Amino acid sequence: MVKAIHTAYAPAAIGPYSQAIQAGDFIYVSGQIGIDPGNSEVVEGIEKQTEQVLANLQAILTEAGANFSQVVKFTIYLNSMDDFATVNEIYGGFLTEPYPARATVEVSRLPKDVLVEMDVVVYTK
């Protein structure tokens, strides 16, 4: 069974996709960027964007009845690897051990020219 997950506490999808999809025991959360869902504006700077991305992910997970402790895989997309240490420090503040698997990659461009985007896979059992 596949179920779409949506919350008003995270930005609405920019295109034809769901904020998240639950498929069996897994939840696949679409890439989140640093858009404040209150005003639909991108927040400024790598620190604020990272915090907003994680808050958006958290809101979607909450709507799904899950939390960061159930995340098994993070993918982080950075506009510049120069921001890796900053993002890593903020990211680490949202997690506890055992930490999820993770990939971090630098990409040439992200939606709305943001500095960071993240998506997650959650195991619900």
Side-chain angles (χ1 to χ4, degrees), residues 106-117:
E106 180 180 276
V107 296
S108 63
R109 193 166 181 204
L110 291 164
K112 296 192 175 278
D113 292 319
V114 297
L115 305 173
V116 59
E117 179 174 357

Side-chain angles (χ1 to χ4, degrees), residues 73-96:
K73 178 70 174 18
F74 256 91
T75 305
I76 302 174
Y77 308 91
L78 296 174
N79 177 266
S80 171
M81 269 302 171
D82 292 341
D83 293 326
F84 179 85
T86 300
V87 170
N88 196 52
E89 183 176 336
I90 295 166
Y91 158 91
F94 280 76
L95 303 172
T96 57

